[in-house]
Amino acid sequence: MPTHHQDPIAAIATAPGRGGVGIVRISGGTDLSALARALCGRDLPARQACYVPFRDAAGQPIDQGIALRFAAPHSYTGEHVLELQAHGGPVVLQLLLARCLEAAAEPDPGAPSSTTSSTWPRPRPWPT
């Protein structure tokens, strides 16, 4: 019987090499709105394509592309999904994936503050 993890999985979802468009996909059992805010600088409406800059930790653009957020159960897998469609070079995709993992470790600045610091679960690499 397969086990269901709540932790998100982050991976480059396109073939290796150069191409016109490259996709980084994050999928998991928890809401990905905080990650979308950290990467895109704003909230993303569910199931609507948004042209946004993908930002590094300092707020500088890594690339610009299309971001899509699907809230569970309204995605292909039934999980929460964040899909980032950027330019397809391997360097851009590696930078974007690294930023996803980095942003996952950051507290959500849009979340209500509490006496303890909490973050949403850190994405784990896609199993190979």
Side-chain angles (χ1 to χ4, degrees):
M1 173 186 292
T3 59
H4 296 281
H5 297 281
Q6 292 297 315
D7 294 346
I9 295 173
I12 296 172
T14 47
R18 296 188 320 183
V21 175
I23 298 171
V24 174
R25 189 173 293 133
I26 304 99
S27 177
T30 57
D31 184 27
L32 301 175
S33 297
L35 183 61
R37 273 191 300 277
L39 293 168
C40 304
R42 66 182 180 105
D43 288 321
L44 299 175
R47 300 182 341 181
Q48 185 176 3
C50 299
Y51 183 69
V52 295
F54 304 126
R55 301 182 182 278
D56 65 14
Q60 297 300 312
I62 297 170
D63 194 11
Q64 292 187 12
I66 297 172
L68 297 134
R69 185 180 65 83
F70 299 94
H74 305 290
S75 72
Y76 181 75
T77 61
E79 296 183 317
H80 296 280
V81 174
L82 178 62
E83 186 173 291
L84 308 174
Q85 301 176 5
H87 291 95
V91 173
V92 171
L93 295 177
Q94 288 294 328
L95 287 171
L96 197 51
L97 179 60
R99 176 61 184 137
C100 289
L101 297 173
E102 177 187 40
E106 299 170 358
D108 177 14
S113 60
S114 65
T115 56
T116 60
S117 174
S118 63
T119 60
W120 62 281
R122 183 178 179 90
R124 52 193 162 82
W126 189 262
T128 56

